[in-house]
Amino acid sequence: MWVQYAITSATAYTRLLNPCRQCSVLSPTLFLLFINDLLSITNCPVHSYADDATLHYSTSFNRRPSQQGVHDSRLEAAERLTSDLPIISDWGRRNLVSFNASKTQFRHLSTRHNLPNTYPLFFDNTQLSPSSTLNILGLSLTQNLNWKLHISSLAKSASSRLGVLYRLRQFFSPAQLLSIYRGLVRPRMEYASHVWGGSTHTALLDRVEAKALRLISSPPPTDSLLPLKFRRDVASLSIFYRYFHADCSSELANCMPPPLPRPRCTRLSTHAHPYTVQTPYARVNQHLHSFIPHAGKLWNNLPSSVFPPDYDLNSFKRRVSGHLSSRI
């Protein structure tokens, strides 16, 4: 269960930044110093980016739970979050910060559909209504963690921009159309692709890419406009490489799967590279298509030649790009 709340006005925050201008490079740092203690006063974890913070609580089961077990876990999650929300409100009153309860949203994330969301949550004396989707940093999370809605939104946004470019195509050369597509349209279809790139609904984006290729009447060589899937795979493997070598927060590094234990003299161990990991067992498709299982499978299928002797992200990215492009 996730609860996302936003700071709408902060008198103390304004005083703290005075006489700093709003566009000052010091403003973000001062704001982070101001809310630093807010991130550690609750019992449930809080993750924050700028003035948007997300309070969340999760439950895991060793085996498939019963309906009563799911109900009890949701009730416990609601009680845990309910006990933390007054703490956040008290922090706001002490620090002269006003929270906007109308912009606060919460969502149960579960693949179960046979249980009602009758778990009331209150924030600043306002009952929160469950949201159909949870928007976090440009990602739309649905209840069952299916990315179809989010990818459809990306495809619609990219198609809209491509439509404008189509109506203006007579004013640009093919090379200029390519530059505009690469700078304004394609980034819309690649933001945070390592999170949702394993979804089966990415074919919607491939259709937009096909329209773009038809729009550019004289397509450039294939190596300068590589497929979206290729770019998603390179991006996912590059991030996986960083996480594997702990070039990230400790929280993310701890999520990485352990090395895969293999017998010394077997055919599989002969073809496996020394960085092979043990991909987690995925019982549902949402987990199977998530970042670690999906990228872990790509990672294990890489040859040993793509791994530099020492940690070098740029070298790894070049080698992976060369390896994957040779298979297109």
Side-chain angles (χ1 to χ4, degrees):
M1 185 182 298
W2 298 65
V3 177
Q4 185 181 27
Y5 53 91
I7 300 176
T8 56
S9 63
T11 305
Y13 166 51
T14 305
R15 292 175 180 173
L16 183 64
L17 298 187
N18 191 24
C20 294
R21 302 176 65 88
Q22 186 174 2
C23 59
S24 170
V25 295
L26 291 177
S27 298
T29 302
L30 293 176
F31 180 78
L32 292 177
L33 292 173
F34 178 69
I35 67 169
N36 184 57
D37 58 331
L38 173 62
L39 308 180
S40 58
I41 61 175
T42 58
N43 296 316
C44 297
V46 177
H47 287 82
S48 176
Y49 182 83
D51 61 343
D52 286 334
T54 302
L55 178 72
H56 59 93
Y57 177 81
S58 61
T59 303
S60 60
F61 301 93
N62 295 327
R63 57 180 180 272
R64 185 176 181 85
S66 62
Q67 183 172 350
Q68 183 62 37
V70 175
H71 171 76
D72 293 341
S73 67
R74 290 190 177 187
L75 186 60
E76 180 184 5
E79 292 175 351
R80 294 286 189 94
L81 295 173
T82 299
S83 64
D84 280 338
L85 289 175
I87 297 176
I88 297 173
S89 298
D90 293 341
W91 179 92
R93 284 189 290 269
R94 292 195 307 269
N95 292 274
L96 305 180
V97 171
S98 175
F99 292 97
N100 192 339
S102 63
K103 289 186 177 181
T104 301
Q105 52 182 340
F106 85 92
R107 176 75 269 175
H108 293 93
L109 302 181
S110 174
T111 56
R112 290 291 188 97
H113 304 283
N114 55 351
L115 290 177
N117 291 324
T118 56
Y119 307 95
L121 293 176
F122 292 87
F123 186 42
D124 280 346
N125 298 322
T126 301
Q127 183 173 354
L128 306 180
S129 300
S131 304
S132 58
T133 59
L134 191 63
N135 300 313
I136 300 179
L137 299 180
L139 295 176
S140 299
L141 305 178
T142 58
Q143 179 179 357
N144 61 355
L145 294 178
N146 187 303
W147 293 107
K148 182 178 180 179
L149 179 64
H150 178 73
I151 295 176
S152 299
S153 176
L154 296 181
K156 183 178 180 180
S157 176
S159 295
S160 177
R161 296 191 177 195
L162 197 62
V164 175
L165 190 59
Y166 178 81
R167 292 189 291 271
L168 299 176
R169 67 189 184 282
Q170 59 181 327
F171 301 105
F172 300 100
S173 65
Q176 291 171 332
L177 291 174
L178 172 63
S179 298
I180 296 175
Y181 167 73
R182 295 172 65 177
L184 298 179
V185 180
R186 190 171 65 180
R188 298 289 299 177
M189 300 186 289
E190 293 186 326
Y191 172 72
S193 62
H194 63 285
V195 178
W196 47 262
S199 172
T200 57
H201 302 291
T202 54
L204 297 173
L205 302 177
D206 297 336
R207 298 174 188 174
V208 179
E209 182 184 43
K211 293 180 182 178
L213 292 177
R214 291 194 295 267
L215 173 62
I216 304 172
S217 56
S218 300
T222 55
D223 59 347
S224 60
L225 190 59
L226 294 166
L228 288 175
K229 184 181 185 308
F230 168 87
R231 293 173 56 84
R232 288 195 299 266
D233 289 346
V234 172
S236 296
L237 287 170
S238 299
I239 295 177
F240 199 94
Y241 180 78
R242 285 186 54 196
Y243 292 177
F244 181 86
H245 290 278
D247 185 16
C248 58
S249 66
S250 58
E251 186 175 9
L252 290 173
N254 292 334
C255 294
M256 294 299 294
L260 180 63
R262 296 243 177 125
R264 290 187 176 181
C265 299
T266 64
R267 182 168 55 88
L268 292 177
S269 62
T270 302
H271 294 282
H273 57 75
Y275 305 101
T276 304
V277 297
Q278 185 175 356
T279 54
Y281 170 75
R283 184 174 57 84
V284 295
N285 288 331
Q286 287 86 341
H287 186 201
L288 178 65
H289 298 150
S290 62
F291 170 66
I292 290 182
H294 173 68
K297 183 178 179 180
L298 297 174
W299 173 272
N300 288 344
N301 290 330
L302 292 175
S304 301
S305 58
V306 304
F307 295 94
D310 299 318
Y311 177 73
D312 189 338
L313 179 59
N314 293 328
S315 176
F316 174 80
K317 189 174 182 179
R318 287 193 301 268
R319 297 184 185 191
V320 166
S321 299
H323 168 71
L324 295 182
S325 62
S326 65
R327 304 175 61 182
I328 295 179

